């Protein structure tokens, strides 16, 4: 029973909302990042990576990344105003961690997918951010980068 309860407590099902804590004004802030409950045994990666426009397999969660590379991916997405994406914590399930590596034929975590297509890891996303390609790729997904608003002098 404890194992079942622990599994339920540790994971949020796809579509759940992650509460990130209190804001300065005393209200709860909320992020629409969705998580995979690895215990549910849902490992059809072709379907998982198509569920959201942007999907990230990472160590930890967007609210609490557990490695510098995963944190960098979260920060890059945050800079572009991308906060609605599927996030899958590979530390919760070794099968998930190894399965996504096999699926993408990419040996490292984090891994980023756009519209079901593998983009790359932290290094690729950082390079796309630095050379402006990320703004264009997000546009193809129907996502307007927040950096365009800053560039145009608009506030979000």
């Amino acid at each position: 029973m404890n194992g079942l309860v622990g599994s339920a407590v540790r994971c949020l099902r796809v579509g759940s909302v992650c509460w990130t804590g209190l804001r300065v004004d005393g209200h709860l802030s909320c992020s629409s990042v969705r998580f995979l409950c690895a215990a549910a045994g849902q490992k059809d990666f072709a379907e998982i990576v198509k569920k959201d426009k942007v999907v990230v397999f990472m160590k930890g969660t967007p609210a609490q990344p557990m490695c510098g590379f995963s944190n960098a991916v979260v920060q890059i997405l945050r800079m572009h105003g991308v906060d609605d994406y599927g996030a899958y914590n590979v530390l919760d399930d070794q099968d998930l961690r190894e399965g996504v590596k096999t699926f993408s034929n990419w040996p490292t975590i984090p891994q980023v997918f756009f519209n079901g297509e593998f983009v790359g890891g932290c290094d690729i996303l950082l390079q796309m951010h630095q050379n402006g390609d990320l703004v264009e790729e997000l546009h193809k997904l129907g996502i307007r980068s927040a950096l365009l608003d800053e560039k145009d002098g608009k506030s979000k």
Side-chain angles (χ1 to χ4, degrees):
M1 178 75 148
N2 284 343
L4 179 60
V5 172
S7 292
V9 170
R10 281 193 304 272
C11 70
L12 297 169
R13 297 216 183 274
V14 174
S16 295
V17 175
C18 173
W19 296 99
T20 56
L22 288 174
R23 292 192 323 230
V24 176
D25 62 6
H27 290 84
L28 283 175
S29 63
C30 175
S31 173
S32 56
V33 175
R34 281 170 298 290
F35 297 91
L36 168 73
C37 178
Q42 188 176 9
K43 298 212 178 58
D44 184 358
F45 291 100
E47 292 300 316
I48 292 171
V49 299
K50 292 177 185 173
K51 283 186 178 188
D52 296 281
K53 291 179 182 180
V54 178
V55 172
V56 180
F57 291 87
M58 62 184 292
K59 294 178 182 175
T61 65
Q64 190 173 14
M66 299 302 288
C67 83
F69 298 113
S70 292
N71 185 48
V73 166
V74 169
Q75 295 305 319
I76 291 167
L77 292 173
R78 191 171 290 151
M79 278 191 286
H80 286 270
V82 179
D83 59 2
D84 185 19
Y85 59 93
Y88 300 91
N89 183 357
V90 301
L91 296 177
D92 283 345
D93 184 340
Q94 188 64 27
D95 292 336
L96 179 68
R97 184 177 186 166
E98 295 307 316
V100 73
K101 291 177 184 181
T102 300
F103 175 75
S104 64
N105 197 28
W106 190 260
T108 60
I109 303 291
Q111 294 188 14
V112 180
F113 292 79
F114 290 167
N115 271 347
E117 298 293 323
F118 179 63
V119 174
C122 176
D123 54 342
I124 303 297
L125 200 67
L126 179 59
Q127 182 180 28
M128 290 173 69
H129 166 70
Q130 290 172 336
N131 67 21
D133 289 345
L134 186 54
V135 171
E136 293 174 31
E137 291 302 314
L138 291 173
H139 178 74
K140 290 177 187 176
L141 299 175
I143 300 171
R144 178 176 169 83
S145 171
L147 295 182
L148 292 174
D149 294 337
E150 288 178 16
K151 186 177 179 182
D152 295 341
K154 299 176 187 173
S155 63
K156 257 185 111 172

